[in-house]
Amino acid sequence: MNNVLPPTAWVVGTFDTKAAELDYLAGLVRAAGVRVVTVDVGTRSAPGAADIDAATVASHHPRGAAAVFDTQDRGEAVIAMGDALATLVRERLAAGEIQAMLGVGGSGGSSMIAPAMRLLPIGVPKLLVSTMAAGNVAAYVGVVDMTLMYPVTDIAGLNRLSRTILANAAHALVGMLQHDTPADGGQDKPAIGLTMFGVTTPCVQAVRGLLQDDFDAQVFHANGAGGRTLEALAAAGLLRAVVDVTTTEVGQHLAGGVCDAGPDRLDAAARHGLPWVGSVGALDMINWGAPSTIPERHKGRRFHVHNADVTLMRSNAQELEAAARRIAEQLNRSPGPVRLLLPLGGLSMIDAPGQPFHDPAADAVLFQTLERLFVASDTHRLIKLPHHINDPAFAAAVAEQVRAVLV
């Protein structure tokens, strides 16, 4: 007799304002053969509206349910309920009781549900139908594989349009739960994380090609979110090494560019001793949006229009010196193996002879600062190469060093 239970999906939302939509979603998921637990995060809900009612959720706040219900400030109540939901989800995840989560919300509901969803491990289905999904969703998604769906209409009752969109959301979640990821034969390979920008693509693709037979090569776009994701996965022990060809996010953070991964870039290697092989890819540029978004203080600088929404600014010597100081500081802290490769022929596709960002004098400041501040040892090595970063010989050197530190 098979006693294995079907997977359990949590359907979460504010039953005081969206009960019809939540019940509709839960019914569709149940009809597809998935166990459902409904969870109420309403701050004005009646008891018993869901399998886990609002009072039960609120009781998981460190200050108890009073933190949610004994305040006259709706914003405070919403924040407290979000904190309580996160605590409950941590508890139930540890007990193996959540295999997927489906949420519905406006701005308030999304702010409560999204942080709890982000606690679900990568690969566990998590889908949020949110009126905020048509804007900047970085605050909701963070660095996890959350799916956001825009409901088109406000979530304020069922109609022919909302029924269709909510049904799509329910069926999408069921599909994620009931269909396994096809095996690719590479599950036993050590995972490594590589960083890439459009202007370092030839290098990273070549490195990946040289390593993919022996490693599960995962490439991250060094656009801010990509760097944060790489750092999070590395810190969680999900990567065997970091192949950080494109460290542009360090310079972006210091100069205020839009591809800013925050102050903790390179932190996983520094804190945890994760093997690190990398370079200074795309440090020749600071990214902005359309030309109208560039701060006035940068008037007169050298710019290159990448596309209608991305304008690149050439990093000057001062910015490159600051980036070099930060990179050296972080790498010097690492207790693990470090290989820093310097491409003396240029940092990006547009930093080469005849290209708009070719500036050997500025690059020399970067190289000289790193040579001066990087502390070399048996485990920490700085390797100068005459090649441009996208030269196949440079990619081959990177791949060789990856194999050396992982032997």
Side-chain angles (χ1 to χ4, degrees):
M1 181 176 179
N2 188 356
N3 293 319
V4 177
L5 294 174
T8 299
W10 276 24
V11 175
V12 186
T14 52
F15 276 78
D16 53 348
T17 60
K18 296 171 174 55
E21 295 92 332
L22 289 159
D23 286 336
Y24 177 66
L25 280 168
L28 290 171
V29 175
R30 285 194 188 99
V34 174
R35 294 179 70 242
V36 172
V37 172
T38 54
V39 183
D40 186 5
V41 292
T43 57
R44 298 181 177 85
S45 295
D51 298 321
I52 300 177
D53 63 19
T56 301
V57 177
S59 69
H60 284 74
H61 192 277
R63 301 198 311 272
V68 175
F69 299 125
D70 289 1
T71 176
Q72 299 303 309
D73 186 300
R74 180 178 180 275
E76 289 182 5
V78 166
I79 292 170
M81 184 64 96
D83 292 341
L85 176 63
T87 300
L88 174 63
V89 167
R90 286 190 191 94
E91 174 189 295
R92 300 301 175 87
L93 272 175
E97 297 179 12
I98 309 172
Q99 284 75 51
M101 188 179 292
L102 174 60
V104 176
S107 60
S110 297
S111 71
M112 290 187 282
I113 297 167
M117 273 194 176
R118 293 198 298 269
L119 297 172
L120 274 62
I122 288 175
V124 174
K126 49 190 84 68
L127 192 156
L128 177 60
V129 183
S130 171
T131 58
M132 308 304 290
N136 184 343
V137 300
Y140 302 102
V141 175
V143 295
V144 303
D145 57 336
M146 186 189 302
T147 301
L148 270 74
M149 181 178 287
Y150 185 57
V152 182
T153 63
D154 202 350
I155 304 171
L158 293 171
N159 53 61
R160 68 176 65 178
L161 184 56
S162 67
R163 284 177 182 275
T164 299
I165 292 168
L166 291 175
N168 284 341
H171 297 149
L173 190 84
V174 169
M176 294 182 213
L177 267 175
Q178 293 185 340
H179 296 276
D180 294 330
T181 303
D184 62 1
Q187 298 299 318
D188 57 342
K189 297 178 183 178
I192 58 174
L194 299 89
T195 52
M196 187 171 79
F197 234 27
V199 291
T200 60
T201 295
C203 176
V204 178
Q205 286 185 333
V207 172
R208 183 178 181 275
L210 291 167
L211 296 174
Q212 65 183 357
D213 287 346
D214 301 306
F215 300 94
D216 182 25
Q218 302 172 9
V219 179
F220 299 87
H221 192 184
N223 59 358
R228 291 193 299 274
T229 304
L230 170 72
E231 295 291 329
L233 293 177
L238 298 177
L239 297 175
R240 180 67 181 82
V242 173
V243 186
D244 216 345
V245 171
T246 311
T247 46
T248 184
E249 290 159 316
V250 175
Q252 305 266 352
H253 172 68
L254 296 172
V258 297
C259 293
D260 178 4
D264 296 328
R265 192 66 172 83
L266 308 182
D267 209 48
R271 285 181 181 272
H272 306 288
L274 195 69
W276 189 96
V277 177
S279 187
V280 289
L283 275 170
D284 57 309
M285 60 190 63
I286 308 298
N287 285 49
W288 305 103
S292 61
T293 68
I294 300 170
E296 181 66 23
R297 67 181 181 275
H298 295 306
K299 185 177 181 180
R301 295 284 296 272
R302 193 190 320 179
F303 295 100
H304 176 72
V305 177
H306 186 66
N307 59 47
D309 300 312
V310 177
T311 307
L312 311 177
M313 180 177 76
R314 214 307 173 176
S315 303
N316 60 28
Q318 292 76 23
E319 290 158 345
L320 288 170
E321 181 180 10
R325 287 181 176 277
R326 180 59 177 165
I327 290 170
E329 174 189 332
Q330 286 286 72
L331 296 180
N332 289 341
R333 290 172 52 213
S334 175
V338 171
R339 302 289 187 272
L340 175 59
L341 290 81
L342 302 184
L344 302 183
L347 313 180
S348 80
M349 197 178 287
I350 59 174
D351 177 24
Q355 294 301 312
F357 277 7
H358 185 53
D359 190 344
D363 291 349
V365 173
L366 172 71
F367 300 141
Q368 291 163 7
T369 304
L370 285 168
E371 286 186 76
R372 186 175 75 253
L373 299 179
F374 181 86
V375 179
S377 68
D378 289 343
T379 59
H380 286 209
R381 300 177 191 172
L382 185 144
I383 302 167
K384 296 191 296 181
L385 296 167
H387 315 299
H388 185 274
I389 196 165
N390 289 324
D391 190 312
F394 188 80
V398 172
E400 179 183 359
Q401 291 303 317
V402 173
R403 293 186 183 280
V405 299
L406 290 177
V407 169

